[in-house]
Amino acid sequence: MNILNLEGTEDTPKIIFDNQNKVYEISGRSLPEDSAEFFQPVLDWLDEYKNAPDAETAFQFKLEYFNTASSKLILDILSKLEEVDGAKVTWYFHEDDEDMEEAGEEFSELVDVPFEFKTY
Amino acid sequence: MINKNLILVYEGEFTQDITKSVLAMAERNLESMGEESGIKRKVFNVMVECLQNICKHSETFDEETYGKTTAIFMIGKHDSEYFITSGNPILSDSVAAISSKLENINSLDKDGLKQLYKDIIKNGRLSEKGGAGLGFVDMARKSGKKLTFDFEPINEHLSFFSLKTTIPRN
């Protein structure tokens, strides 16, 4: 399974999906010009991974900020996780960032994937 | 204008690169004023939606057909609140649709906006321009206040759409 590794920039998040080291993390800021194009490799990666996933896969979402176009794609990614057996999500938010906490709660209500919330 | 404490005004072409520069400048300003992180995040949030709305919806006019069209973006601060204002030309045909969308948003309370957001994100699709149809709803949620808007006819094809969002500081 290929490693998906995108360096973060000022308007795109850092993404590492690495099955060898068991790291699955999206972090930073997300406000790309074209969110569908930017996140397509993540959806493609999950489409392949769901065919032979580990017994458990812990996906970490550690976002500082995302725009509304990204939120639509984040929901697409989370929906894709419903097809990955053993997937779970840890949603990180800064301890004083109620909006990010609420955003995570809303996503957790929209998809059927176990969510855990942590502050950083 | 001066006693309203403008922090930043930009008029001209709007692109993703310009959006990034404007955001960086505004962030640096808020930083230097020592603004609280929660307020800074909300202001940043509204600025992004506003700027990307202009990028997506204001760039498609052909100057020969429609005349010169420029957009404006500004952010300012009163004692008790920040305000983020944008103005850009739109096709007059779309005034009714935008107006009813904003009126609907303004008629909703916090829970109503949350429900609308969830309905759109769940059932909506990205537009050809890559918008999720969530920008105004998100701006209203981050603001907690009504959105102020206006449409002024420019010529037979276009209207100038202005939108103001306020972020209370406490």
Side-chain angles (χ1 to χ4, degrees):
Chain A
M1 189 81 207
N2 286 334
I3 295 170
L4 179 64
N5 188 348
L6 302 173
E7 279 300 319
T9 69
E10 57 185 328
D11 62 351
T12 57
K14 179 180 167 72
I15 300 182
I16 302 177
F17 280 18
D18 177 351
N19 184 231
Q20 274 132 55
N21 294 302
K22 312 297 176 201
V23 179
Y24 311 91
E25 185 171 305
I26 301 182
S27 61
R29 280 184 175 188
S30 184
L31 54 137
E33 187 166 22
D34 186 338
S35 61
E37 183 187 73
F38 177 77
F39 284 106
Q40 192 56 48
V42 178
L43 295 168
D44 292 342
W45 194 94
L46 290 169
D47 266 331
E48 195 184 332
Y49 183 70
K50 73 182 182 189
N51 298 321
D54 291 348
E56 266 196 7
T57 317
F59 293 90
Q60 322 283 325
F61 287 78
K62 215 175 212 170
L63 291 157
E64 181 198 328
Y65 167 78
F66 57 86
N67 67 351
T68 55
S70 298
S71 71
K72 179 70 184 155
L73 269 296
I74 292 168
L75 181 61
D76 288 349
I77 291 167
L78 293 168
S79 302
K80 189 72 78 183
L81 298 187
E82 292 178 335
E83 302 167 30
V84 178
D85 291 334
K88 58 178 190 174
V89 169
T90 307
W91 186 269
Y92 289 87
F93 59 94
H94 193 271
E95 55 183 2
D96 69 357
D97 192 350
E98 286 167 20
D99 290 329
M100 190 54 76
E101 181 181 10
E102 194 178 0
E105 283 167 4
E106 285 168 13
F107 282 129
S108 73
E109 291 158 18
L110 289 165
V111 293
D112 188 16
V113 178
F115 263 66
E116 186 188 0
F117 293 90
K118 282 189 181 167
T119 55
Y120 67 90
Chain B
M1 290 279 265
I2 289 164
N3 60 21
K4 278 193 174 172
N5 286 319
L6 287 173
I7 295 169
L8 189 151
V9 180
Y10 174 81
E11 184 179 7
E13 189 195 3
F14 283 76
T15 63
Q16 177 75 359
D17 281 338
I18 286 166
T19 293
K20 286 190 278 184
S21 306
V22 170
L23 288 170
M25 279 188 277
E27 262 195 306
R28 225 170 295 144
N29 268 314
L30 292 174
E31 197 72 48
S32 69
M33 294 189 298
E35 188 50 76
E36 183 197 310
S37 61
I39 304 293
K40 268 192 305 200
R41 273 196 293 266
K42 285 186 200 295
V43 171
F44 184 83
N45 214 298
V46 171
M47 286 195 296
V48 173
E49 295 303 326
C50 215
L51 289 162
Q52 291 192 324
N53 264 348
I54 302 175
C55 289
K56 289 196 167 89
H57 300 289
S58 199
E59 68 187 349
T60 50
F61 301 118
D62 163 24
E63 197 169 323
E64 265 180 41
T65 315
Y66 298 111
K68 195 168 164 53
T69 56
T70 52
I72 186 162
F73 171 86
M74 49 189 167
I75 160 168
K77 182 187 172 191
H78 292 284
D79 287 345
S80 60
E81 64 191 24
Y82 288 95
F83 56 92
I84 295 119
T85 302
S86 63
N88 61 283
I90 57 166
L91 286 172
S92 298
D93 292 350
S94 50
V95 167
I98 295 174
S99 180
S100 74
K101 197 184 258 189
L102 287 165
E103 274 162 21
N104 178 44
I105 287 168
N106 277 346
S107 74
L108 298 171
D109 62 6
K110 197 167 183 274
D111 288 340
L113 287 170
K114 182 188 172 101
Q115 198 51 53
L116 178 61
Y117 187 92
K118 285 172 83 171
D119 287 347
I120 297 174
I121 196 171
K122 202 171 158 187
N123 303 314
R125 289 174 152 263
L126 286 186
S127 72
E128 267 175 43
K129 289 173 182 165
L134 290 163
F136 293 148
V137 189
D138 189 57
M139 288 158 78
R141 293 186 76 189
K142 296 297 180 308
S143 161
K145 302 271 182 189
K146 302 297 174 200
L147 302 174
T148 311
F149 59 96
D150 187 41
F151 303 92
E152 285 285 332
I154 300 173
N155 57 35
E156 55 175 322
H157 305 289
L158 299 178
S159 296
F160 194 77
F161 167 45
S162 54
L163 177 68
K164 179 177 159 191
T165 309
T166 53
I167 307 282
R169 292 185 63 217
N170 38 37

